[in-house]
Amino acid sequence: MATQFRLILLFLFGICCVESKYIKYNTTAGIVPGKINVHLVAHSHDDVGWLKTVDQYYVGSNNSIQGACVQNVLDSIVPALLADKNRKFIYVEQAFFQRWWTDQSEEVQDTMKQLIKSGQLELINGGMCMHDEAAPHYIDMIDQTTLGHRFIKEEFNLTPRIGWQIDPFGHSAVQAYLLSAEVGFDSLFFARIDYQDRAKRKDEKSLEVVWRASKSLGSSAQIFAGAFPENYEPPSNFYYEVNDDSPIIQDNMNLFDYNVPERVNEFVAAAVAQANITRTNHVMWTMGTDFKYQYAHTWFRAMDKFIHYVNQDGRVNALYSTPSIYTDAKHAANEAWPLKTDDYFPYADRVNAYWTGYFTSRPGLKGYVRTMSAYYLAARQLEFFKGKNKAGATTDSLADALALAQHHDAISGTSKQHVASDYAKRLSIGYKEAEEVVSASFACIAESCLKTGRPNPVVTKFQQCPLLNISYCPPSEVDLSTRKNLVVVVYNPLGWKREDVIRIPVYNEKVTVKDSEGKEVESQLLPIQDAYKTLRNYYSVAYLGKSKKEAPNYWLAFSASAPPLGYNTYIISSAKQSAVSSEIKSFYNSETAKNDKIEVGPGNVKLVYSGNEGNLIQYINSRSKVEQSVEQSYSYYYSDNGSADLQASGAYIFRPNGSHPIDPQQQVLLNVLRGPLVDEVHQRINSWIYQVTRLYKGKDHAEFEFTIGPIPMDDGIGKEVVTQIKATIQNKKKFYTDSSGRDFIERIRDYRKDWKLEVNQPIAGNYYPINLGIYMKDNDTELSVLVDRSVGGSSIKDGELELMLHRRLHEDDSRGVAEALNETVCVFDECTGLTVLGKYYLRIDPSGEGAKWRRSYGQEIYSPFLLAFTEQDGDNWASSHVASFSGMDPSYVLPDNVAMLTLQELDDGKVLLRLAHLYEIGEDKDLSVMSSVELKKVFPNKKINKVTETNLSANQERAEMEKKRLVWKVEGSSGEEAKVVRGGAVDPTALVVELAPMEIRTFVIDFN
């Protein structure tokens, strides 16, 4: 015993006598040829809203939900980087960075500029948020990226090199070729790909690829793309936020638990394991995850030690790095990479867990974002015509709100409810300011400000109707019997002349509509049905806290036209006799009723309904000679509650557990309204679904307007509501969906091009995101459906298309939001489930002829007429105001295959212009060709001094971007890629812009 005691004393004495000294860690390592190089990329993934709002995340409030403060992250990074010039960090979300930047002193800003200039801090991706890739429209993706990129350019004279889409739930072709290659990125990195795809790619060392996502632009818009081996976090056991439980490197031999050899061995083993599934001798470790580096020192202290001791060990090489350094190393290896085409949808992270529910989650928010996106496009045009205010209202607030709304937990519908409400609130605030811009612009144009050059103030006060979809429009609900006239300005934000039917609510039956020259315009009165009055009364109180006592009784529909980027004016006044009323006929469900077929439609397109059952049975187009049996119905999927394996259907995940058809059980099968402009078929599907189908005289398609909700929940089962359209088309499992509203991609049921799919969810696993439309075809016929917002959809059976329109769930799907998707609307403390009102559009064409409608009418859906209202005493509007206006040369329109995506005055007075070719190669025999735009006719009243072509996000000249572009080798390629034809340089004298199929060209224009 005494001997043992003496040994213990001797051991303790030995520990105490080891000399303790300061260790200076060697972090200078660069790339070492011939070794596995482990690139340690320090990052924090900071959602601009998810469990907390964007501002709560920034300041660190509401920590009972999540302990996250982005202000702490950025505050902490500065001294941590200053402590060692070899340390590096990347930052992504400009919405946070710009908040922080404006809070800093000039001294801190100068320090940050030096850190960015030296490469210690790299701003990557560079948009205001890390946008989703399923639910946003490509125009919104471009806008939010441009907003961030131009700030970085103006403040730091830098252009981000790397795409960093590490958290979106699947990845779109548009992200690869448009928002990466055309932005000027050298590479794109992401984490979430299907678990089956990931397993195969690990085996084949094909996680990193050359992604050639555009059929039309081919190799000219390809990008080096890498999927991480597991996620965007460090390898297991290498987390170093305060209180993380990964073992630290304990390198003080005076203390117990010295573990340098063990930790180095674990590091080397993880590096070798990753190198075994990666080509070349370079691997990237993403050292960080959500809202990390709030105390950056703990991370950097750990990485300092790893770099020091791992490199002393010598088996592998560890270094501080960034994705740019990593990309350059991969490129220098001169490797040939596998080729990837199409996209990475849908995404499942394990068996029975397809992230396809969020394609539809929060359909009200999705619809609001799309509406505001269209409004922002038009408002910027009008702001340009008038001139951007140096002080006062601008469109900038709406730009910021829309940028945040593209975040992968915003428009996706995967945030907590209070966060979704915050996104909507910001959009509303932005809209109100942009509304002032639009009204002032109309007044200025109408009062000849543009011609006379006289400044404001203007006299005319225009109002708008953001709640027109629920038939609430106070400006049009005026008493016209007092000899007042209602003036309606109809603005067209498209580059083509356009005609459409306008609908506004009115009290008076005795009204007439005239154009600005006094000619009577064809019009029609349609009674507002009780279903819409109920919706109006409830939701006007929900939104405004008030409602007019009496709802108007009629929709006034009239034909309107407007020139490209211009408006026409219409005058609505009282008349001695009633306007043309709709003929109304009801068809009843009874044994004695023996109704013939009911044919509806005032134009070329007719829909035929069964007189006995009230269901749609046939589509006829007398112009194209198409006659097709067609059915349309509703059903809902029961949401799986996860009782079998803990995987429920939720905000992210769609997991059906059986379906239930919804058969109309009403006494009145149909109410049919007929008139000279439009026929309507009203159907009460059940107590919570109402549908109106419209056919317009001048349109060769059918419009379906649905009102769904509140979805009943009293049976304890979540429901996911779909509509199905069935035809006799033999599509042989094939159908086509758009990529972010742009290219169409072929889908094949129960099939993936990149691996042999093991089918475990035959419905959810075949759902895809839809922003523009979906279609199917056979040798004879093509059936297309276009949508007014992002939804999920598929072809679950041959001859059938399906759209999910609304979902209300009881369970959370265990992906972090910790809240069931159960949206409610509250009025006076009484809450009911959300009702959603939306539209989709159907057309059937001979095979190969549907693209024209999908592309042209798709633009009209995205950019509807913008209406503004004012009142006038007397009949002298045309003599005292500019009644018709076109921002372009009156004799000029854009080609049918070209759209103007952006017309925006920048803060320096220059103008940002984007033009897009709408067609893919081979999509249409007439319009998939080179096209051209004459800038002199687009800007007839301005002298163009200089036109500079830029990259997509307008932060560098296009020629400079092309000069810097990295060229990647592709496996199996001879190196002689097919020549991609693009539009040529813009001659400074002729000023004509050429656009090849699917090309988008961006210009900054300087006017004299």
Side-chain angles (χ1 to χ4, degrees):
M1 186 70 181
T3 303
Q4 187 178 9
F5 181 70
R6 282 196 296 271
L7 287 172
I8 291 171
L9 283 176
L10 185 63
F11 176 69
L12 291 173
F13 178 76
I15 290 177
C16 293
C17 292
V18 171
E19 185 181 352
S20 178
K21 61 180 180 180
Y22 168 74
I23 302 173
K24 180 170 176 56
Y25 299 109
N26 182 0
T27 60
T28 61
I31 290 168
V32 176
K35 280 189 179 179
I36 295 172
N37 289 276
V38 183
H39 295 250
L40 300 180
V41 175
H43 79 105
S44 177
H45 174 59
D46 298 339
D47 293 302
V48 296
W50 179 39
L51 308 183
K52 306 198 295 188
T53 69
V54 60
D55 287 347
Q56 289 171 349
Y57 271 134
Y58 176 66
V59 301
S61 61
N62 210 357
N63 279 343
S64 61
I65 293 178
Q66 185 181 13
C69 176
V70 176
Q71 204 169 14
N72 286 350
V73 174
L74 291 165
D75 284 346
S76 182
I77 286 300
V78 176
L81 294 179
L82 290 174
D84 183 343
K85 66 180 180 181
N86 299 304
R87 292 174 173 176
K88 292 177 171 58
F89 188 80
I90 62 171
Y91 199 73
V92 174
E93 292 83 6
Q94 282 297 302
F96 285 133
F97 186 84
Q98 291 178 25
R99 279 166 167 77
W100 180 86
W101 181 255
T102 56
D103 284 348
Q104 303 311 303
S105 67
E106 192 173 325
E107 181 183 9
V108 174
Q109 287 185 350
D110 287 342
T111 300
M112 182 60 85
K113 284 182 178 179
Q114 285 303 119
L115 291 171
I116 291 173
K117 186 177 180 181
S118 70
Q120 279 191 267
L121 178 68
E122 184 173 347
L123 301 176
I124 67 170
N125 222 33
M128 299 300 286
C129 69
M130 187 183 294
H131 55 228
D132 184 48
E133 298 181 37
H137 193 276
Y138 75 93
I139 293 177
D140 291 326
M141 297 162 83
I142 294 170
D143 284 341
Q144 82 87 15
T145 303
T146 300
L147 204 56
H149 279 198
R150 287 187 63 81
F151 170 84
I152 293 170
K153 182 67 174 179
E154 288 162 9
E155 287 291 345
F156 307 109
N157 195 30
L158 287 175
T159 55
R161 287 186 58 195
I162 307 297
W164 191 255
Q165 289 289 111
I166 60 174
D167 199 26
F169 326 124
H171 304 282
S172 74
V174 157
Q175 177 62 40
Y177 85 84
L178 197 60
L179 274 302
S180 296
E182 293 293 282
V183 160
F185 289 163
D186 289 322
S187 59
L188 168 64
F189 296 99
F190 43 87
R192 298 190 186 273
I193 65 173
D194 189 278
Y195 72 100
Q196 295 181 37
D197 190 13
R198 190 190 305 276
K200 182 171 182 285
R201 290 183 181 279
K202 283 182 175 181
D203 288 343
E204 298 176 347
K205 291 190 174 184
S206 61
L207 286 167
E208 293 173 323
V209 298
V210 171
W211 192 356
R212 190 176 295 166
S214 169
K215 298 189 294 286
S216 302
L217 299 180
S219 61
S220 75
Q222 67 189 23
I223 187 89
F224 178 77
F228 300 141
E230 296 300 334
N231 49 42
Y232 55 84
E233 303 185 4
S236 179
N237 253 6
F238 291 90
Y239 292 75
Y240 292 103
E241 196 72 9
V242 173
N243 297 328
D244 276 344
D245 57 7
S246 294
I248 64 167
I249 288 191
Q250 205 297 82
D251 60 346
N252 187 339
M253 298 184 72
N254 287 337
L255 306 177
F256 287 168
D257 303 324
Y258 179 83
N259 67 352
V260 171
E262 293 93 327
R263 292 265 61 203
V264 169
N265 285 339
E266 194 170 351
F267 187 103
V268 171
V272 171
Q274 188 166 334
N276 286 336
I277 58 171
T278 307
R279 302 188 187 200
T280 79
N281 61 327
H282 297 277
V283 297
M284 185 198 300
W285 283 14
T286 47
M287 298 301 291
T289 182
D290 296 8
F291 301 101
K292 299 305 181 185
Y293 293 78
Q294 294 187 65
Y295 181 54
H297 181 64
T298 59
W299 283 92
F300 284 111
R301 179 173 57 199
M303 287 186 286
D304 287 351
K305 291 182 179 184
F306 276 118
I307 291 169
H308 179 81
Y309 290 114
V310 166
N311 293 345
Q312 277 188 352
D313 173 85
R315 285 174 287 172
V316 302
N317 179 60
L319 66 151
Y320 279 119
S321 189
T322 66
S324 293
I325 296 170
Y326 178 80
T327 297
D328 288 339
K330 288 284 183 177
H331 184 256
N334 207 26
E335 179 82 13
W337 301 93
L339 182 66
K340 164 72 179 172
T341 57
D342 60 55
D343 61 9
Y344 288 91
F345 284 117
Y347 162 63
D349 60 352
R350 59 176 182 249
V351 174
N352 296 325
Y354 277 94
W355 296 46
T356 54
Y358 83 97
F359 299 161
T360 299
S361 293
R362 300 196 188 280
L365 179 61
K366 284 176 165 67
Y368 191 32
V369 171
R370 181 63 59 84
T371 299
M372 290 297 97
S373 173
Y375 191 84
Y376 177 54
L377 184 148
R380 281 182 291 174
Q381 295 174 358
L382 290 162
E383 186 175 45
F384 161 72
F385 293 136
K386 175 181 172 291
K388 190 169 185 177
N389 292 328
K390 302 302 179 188
T394 68
T395 57
D396 294 348
S397 178
L398 183 54
D400 289 338
L402 274 168
L404 287 178
Q406 308 315 314
H407 169 56
H408 60 268
D409 285 308
I411 192 171
S412 59
T414 56
S415 69
K416 282 187 178 292
Q417 180 60 58
H418 78 104
V419 180
S421 300
D422 185 72
Y423 292 127
K425 181 179 180 180
R426 291 171 186 277
L427 288 169
S428 177
I429 292 169
Y431 168 80
K432 289 302 291 183
E433 189 171 334
E435 187 182 44
E436 291 181 42
V437 173
V438 168
S439 296
S441 298
F442 280 142
C444 178
I445 296 168
E447 296 183 16
S448 302
C449 290
L450 302 188
K451 292 180 180 178
T452 62
R454 70 176 175 82
N456 288 353
V458 292
V459 176
T460 309
K461 302 296 181 186
F462 282 99
Q463 299 181 70
Q464 294 162 62
C465 291
L467 297 181
L468 186 59
N469 66 321
I470 59 167
S471 69
Y472 185 88
C473 183
S476 73
E477 298 166 22
V478 293
D479 184 1
L480 298 176
S481 63
T482 59
R483 294 190 53 78
K484 281 194 172 184
N485 294 331
L486 178 65
V487 179
V488 184
V489 170
V490 178
Y491 179 73
N492 172 24
L494 297 182
W496 319 309
K497 184 181 178 183
R498 175 174 171 193
E499 297 181 4
D500 210 340
V501 173
I502 301 298
R503 297 159 53 88
I504 58 174
V506 294
Y507 283 112
N508 305 59
E509 287 180 75
K510 297 181 177 180
V511 292
T512 185
V513 183
K514 296 180 180 178
D515 64 19
S516 56
E517 296 177 354
K519 296 177 184 174
E520 189 165 342
V521 174
E522 191 170 35
S523 63
Q524 178 182 342
L525 284 174
L526 300 105
I528 296 178
Q529 302 295 306
D530 288 343
Y532 285 91
K533 290 181 180 180
T534 301
L535 196 69
R536 167 199 164 100
N537 292 339
Y538 188 83
Y539 276 86
S540 60
V541 175
Y543 293 146
L544 305 172
K546 61 181 180 180
S547 176
K548 283 199 167 186
K549 290 181 180 178
E550 184 183 351
N553 292 318
Y554 302 100
W555 285 105
L556 174 64
F558 64 93
S559 294
S561 66
L565 271 65
Y567 69 69
N568 278 332
T569 306
Y570 295 85
I571 312 296
I572 300 171
S573 54
S574 62
K576 292 182 180 178
Q577 59 186 35
S578 297
V580 177
S581 295
S582 303
E583 174 195 331
I584 304 172
K585 186 173 182 181
S586 298
F587 295 86
Y588 294 90
N589 180 11
S590 69
E591 294 181 7
T592 57
K594 299 294 181 185
N595 300 315
D596 294 328
K597 292 178 181 179
I598 306 160
E599 187 176 286
V600 182
N604 293 324
V605 171
K606 311 287 185 187
L607 293 183
V608 180
Y609 292 80
S610 164
N612 294 317
E613 298 179 4
N615 57 301
L616 177 64
I617 57 175
Q618 193 176 25
Y619 175 106
I620 300 169
N621 187 328
S622 58
R623 181 191 55 80
S624 63
K625 310 302 181 190
V626 167
E627 293 191 18
Q628 175 71 219
S629 296
V630 63
E631 298 175 31
Q632 183 259 340
S633 61
Y634 287 91
S635 64
Y636 58 79
Y637 293 106
Y638 297 108
S639 303
D640 197 299
N641 64 8
S643 59
D645 58 4
L646 302 181
Q647 185 52 70
S649 205
Y652 301 91
I653 288 169
F654 172 34
R655 189 181 183 187
N657 186 10
S659 63
H660 178 81
I662 301 173
D663 297 319
Q665 299 294 324
Q666 308 299 314
Q667 180 64 23
V668 179
L669 292 175
L670 305 172
N671 278 321
V672 178
L673 283 64
R674 301 180 191 272
L677 290 178
V678 59
D679 286 1
E680 292 187 346
V681 179
H682 290 246
Q683 294 170 281
R684 168 59 72 183
I685 307 298
N686 66 7
S687 62
W688 48 274
I689 300 179
Y690 191 84
Q691 177 173 285
V692 181
T693 306
R694 298 189 182 96
L695 294 108
Y696 296 94
K697 182 173 70 173
K699 305 289 184 184
D700 281 11
H701 65 262
E703 172 186 297
F704 293 81
E705 182 174 86
F706 56 87
T707 305
I708 301 175
I711 299 173
M713 298 277 277
D714 48 7
D715 58 1
I717 301 173
K719 299 171 184 66
E720 322 204 27
V721 183
V722 299
T723 186
Q724 288 109 351
I725 297 168
K726 301 176 184 178
T728 57
I729 294 172
Q730 302 299 311
N731 58 313
K732 297 179 181 178
K733 294 190 173 184
K734 293 182 181 179
F735 58 104
Y736 302 81
T737 64
D738 67 274
S739 176
S740 305
R742 193 94 178 114
D743 311 62
F744 277 93
I745 297 178
E746 181 183 82
R747 313 296 190 182
I748 302 175
R749 194 181 323 122
D750 296 335
Y751 173 82
R752 303 289 188 268
K753 185 187 291 185
D754 292 337
W755 78 95
K756 187 176 180 180
L757 177 67
E758 181 182 324
V759 179
N760 52 63
Q761 284 291 314
I763 297 171
N766 285 301
Y767 256 61
Y768 291 87
I770 301 168
N771 268 282
L772 170 59
I774 180 172
Y775 70 95
M776 61 181 174
K777 63 181 181 179
D778 59 18
N779 292 333
D780 302 315
T781 310
E782 196 165 315
L783 186 152
S784 305
V785 177
L786 301 182
V787 298
D788 68 345
R789 71 197 69 194
S790 168
V791 298
S794 187
S795 174
I796 301 300
K797 300 175 184 175
D798 277 359
E800 182 177 309
L801 294 180
E802 172 173 309
L803 302 176
M804 184 183 290
L805 304 176
H806 197 2
R807 50 201 316 254
R808 189 181 183 196
L809 312 175
H810 267 290
E811 308 294 334
D812 174 61
D813 52 16
S814 304
R815 291 307 184 276
V817 77
E819 190 175 276
L821 183 68
N822 181 12
E823 295 183 274
T824 58
V825 176
C826 301
V827 174
F828 304 131
D829 297 325
E830 287 190 21
C831 300
T832 60
L834 177 72
T835 296
V836 169
L837 188 151
K839 296 177 182 178
Y840 63 90
Y841 308 83
L842 168 69
R843 175 159 159 155
I844 305 176
D845 287 288
S847 190
E849 296 183 17
K852 282 189 179 71
W853 179 72
R854 289 192 295 270
R855 294 300 183 181
S856 61
Y857 198 68
Q859 288 299 116
E860 293 191 26
I861 295 169
Y862 178 81
S863 288
F865 278 150
L866 193 160
L867 308 182
F869 304 84
T870 190
E871 292 181 27
Q872 176 216 11
D873 293 316
D875 299 317
N876 63 342
W877 180 267
S879 60
S880 58
H881 294 81
V882 177
S884 183
F885 165 79
S886 177
M888 301 201 303
D889 186 309
S891 66
Y892 187 67
V893 297
L894 292 186
D896 290 343
N897 51 9
V898 173
M900 183 182 292
L901 305 187
T902 310
L903 177 59
Q904 176 183 1
E905 182 178 333
L906 302 172
D907 290 338
D908 59 7
K910 295 178 182 177
V911 170
L912 181 62
L913 174 71
R914 271 194 202 91
L915 299 168
H917 199 298
L918 294 173
Y919 289 77
E920 299 176 64
I921 282 180
E923 187 176 10
D924 184 86
K925 66 182 188 300
D926 301 315
L927 296 171
S928 293
V929 295
M930 186 73 76
S931 198
S932 61
V933 173
E934 299 179 50
L935 295 184
K936 289 179 180 177
K937 292 185 177 179
V938 172
F939 303 104
N941 301 314
K942 293 182 179 290
K943 181 168 175 55
I944 297 173
N945 182 42
K946 185 180 180 183
V947 175
T948 304
E949 184 168 11
T950 71
N951 67 329
L952 186 71
S953 58
N955 67 347
Q956 58 185 310
E957 291 192 19
R958 175 92 196 186
E960 186 64 26
M961 180 195 81
E962 294 291 356
K963 220 182 287 181
K964 296 185 297 184
R965 191 189 292 276
L966 298 181
V967 178
W968 299 86
K969 289 184 178 179
V970 175
E971 261 184 357
S973 170
S974 64
E976 292 293 322
E977 301 293 346
K979 177 70 175 173
V980 175
V981 177
R982 285 183 178 255
V986 177
D987 181 274
T989 304
L991 294 173
V992 173
V993 176
E994 296 177 329
L995 292 122
M998 276 291 109
E999 190 173 21
I1000 297 178
R1001 299 185 70 177
T1002 305
F1003 302 92
V1004 173
I1005 301 177
D1006 191 359
F1007 295 104
N1008 279 340

